[in-house]
Amino acid sequence: MKLNKFRKKSPWILHYNTGGCNGCDIEILASLAPKYDIERFGALNKGNPKQADILLVTGPVTKRCKDVLRRLYLQMPEPKVVVAMGACGHGGGVFRNFYHVENGVDNIIPVDVWIPGCAPRPEALIDGIVEAIEILQTKSKEKEYIRNHNEIIDKLGAKDD
Amino acid sequence: MINLLITIFAPVLGGFVFGIERIIKARMQSRIGPPVLQPFYDFFKLMDKRAYIIHSLHALMGIMYFIAEWFTLAVLLLGNDLLIAVFFHVIAVLALVIGASSVRSPYSVLGGLRELMHMISYEPLMVLMAVSFYLITGSFDIKTILSFNGYPIFQMPLVFFAFLLVIPMMLQKSPFDIAEAHQEIIGGPEIEYSGPFYEAVYTGKWIEYIYVFTFVFLFGGNHYWLGILLVIFTFIFVNLLDNSTARLDYRKMVKFSWFVLIPLAVLNIILIAMWR
Ligand code: SF4
């Protein structure tokens, strides 16, 4: 029996806001509410990296958040997909080139799906999740590394790894 | 025969109960909710994740919880003492607590401690319930209780009432879902489990449903229709309570259990003993 066809039936989401304006988070909550109800498709908002499949990141990755973001990514067991939501997550959005932001999620962890908009509508979010599930099905359960992990650790100044 | 079947297929049955419960919960919030088979989809998906453990004792205790729960159910259903089943249930929960306290995550340790608080709130009541079954039917044996010609529910209504309010503690439902408070300590004892090991804990919870509802069924005596009605009533009542109340403090839970529920059960036992 091919088990990876069950991945599309129960995508568990870990949502992390790296310092955005909360507009995107409201849309995520709206998609859990009665009108859109993404639990119909088995998606749950888990809040725990060890049991999640999809890491849904919003916000421009501020100084305080960047090491936490990297750790959350490393704590998720494979297969996993990263979805960057909103203009902030893409390139900083309204916060671009501020002194304290990292200009987007892709500067820290590899992103698989981008959901454009500021804020994206719940339909766009659901579309992005569907896209992420398709990528999730093709991934293997081998350990994944962040590309140039050592450089990123140097940049973040993380010591106790 | 049917006892053996229920014991063997307990995870499947519990999965269905859990799926139905998720639908009921969604309908109460005017959502559509996941399909009935959703718990099994989760199960197969978790099987396909990379095995990722903290250390071997922690992972072992997750699996131990699952096995001990299943064993408890086997002891209960295959004709043994109610008391022995209750004590095996203690062992199952203890496995979870040991696993939770063996890691460095503060949420997990906190969850383990709160799980112990749960245990001191509901285990005395389980023992009292077994004792009152003994006083009424003259045996701790499940076969004798199920062939007892009478209505245990009418002789021990206070025990049933107390048990009804203890079920949310055993199944981690609001207002007593203190150990796995999803918004404050994100799952409590189960937070550090992932992939196949989380699956063991998750499935252990389904078996716990069957364990609890078996006790509810016993209240019907040999009137099985009454037992089934009680199970359905309890299921709906617990879900209503779960969706309409907020979480309490653990002190309130322990106080409520020791100052309200246990005295009620003891009062009922005294009345039964005087009546005989
Ligand atoms: S993308 Fe727009 S709505 Fe979303 S967090 Fe950034 S500023 Fe807010």
Side-chain angles (χ1 to χ4, degrees), chain B residues 155-175:
Chain B
Q155 296 185 37
M156 38 200 267
L158 293 179
V159 176
F160 182 71
F161 175 73
F163 186 53
L164 208 57
L165 290 176
V166 148
I167 291 175
M169 299 178 196
M170 304 184 71
L171 298 182
Q172 308 280 357
K173 304 252 174 248
S174 294

Side-chain angles (χ1 to χ4, degrees), chain A residues 10 39 50 53 78, chain B residues 31 42 45 49-50 192:
Chain A
S10 83
E39 204 193 340
K50 304 230 162 159
D53 305 298
E78 288 77 7
Chain B
R31 294 187 284 121
D42 296 346
K45 180 209 66 176
K49 300 282 275 185
R50 185 163 73 87
E192 291 290 335

Side-chain angles (χ1 to χ4, degrees), chain A residues 20-21 23-24 86-88 118-119:
Chain A
C21 77
C24 289
C88 289
C118 175

Side-chain angles (χ1 to χ4, degrees), chain A:
Chain A
M1 188 165 62
K2 288 284 277 177
L3 281 177
N4 64 0
K5 75 166 192 270
F6 288 103
R7 287 182 194 162
K8 74 169 177 236
K9 302 242 181 189
S10 83
W12 288 359
I13 296 171
L14 169 68
H15 161 224
Y16 184 52
N17 178 359
T18 57
C21 77
N22 275 112
C24 289
D25 311 311
I26 305 262
E27 299 299 325
I28 292 171
L29 294 183
S31 68
L32 293 169
K35 185 159 180 192
Y36 296 100
D37 186 24
I38 54 172
E39 204 193 340
R40 276 180 299 161
F41 313 118
L44 281 182
N45 198 351
K46 257 305 191 187
N48 183 349
K50 304 230 162 159
Q51 294 150 13
D53 305 298
I54 297 177
L55 176 56
L56 182 58
V57 192
T58 63
V61 193
T62 57
K63 243 180 191 167
R64 289 286 171 201
C65 290
K66 53 192 181 185
D67 197 33
V68 179
L69 180 62
R70 182 185 63 95
R71 278 163 195 266
L72 283 179
Y73 179 77
L74 290 178
Q75 278 178 4
M76 285 171 63
E78 288 77 7
K80 60 190 171 190
V81 192
V82 181
V83 181
M85 180 177 182
C88 289
H90 293 190
V94 286
F95 304 104
R96 188 174 176 80
N97 289 339
F98 276 16
Y99 66 97
H100 66 295
V101 301
E102 209 53 51
N103 285 346
V105 180
D106 203 33
N107 290 326
I108 305 292
I109 57 175
V111 176
D112 298 287
V113 181
W114 306 89
I115 306 177
C118 175
R121 294 181 59 83
E123 289 95 337
L125 170 65
I126 294 171
D127 205 36
I129 299 284
V130 169
E131 198 93 346
I133 290 169
E134 266 157 30
I135 295 175
L136 188 68
Q137 276 176 298
T138 62
K139 287 210 171 182
S140 78
K141 51 182 197 170
E142 295 299 307
K143 185 161 170 52
E144 274 181 60
Y145 293 93
I146 298 183
R147 71 183 131 70
N148 44 32
H149 191 193
N150 291 337
E151 281 169 37
I152 286 183
I153 285 184
D154 284 343
K155 190 165 82 178
L156 300 178
K159 293 262 163 17
D160 55 336
D161 239 30

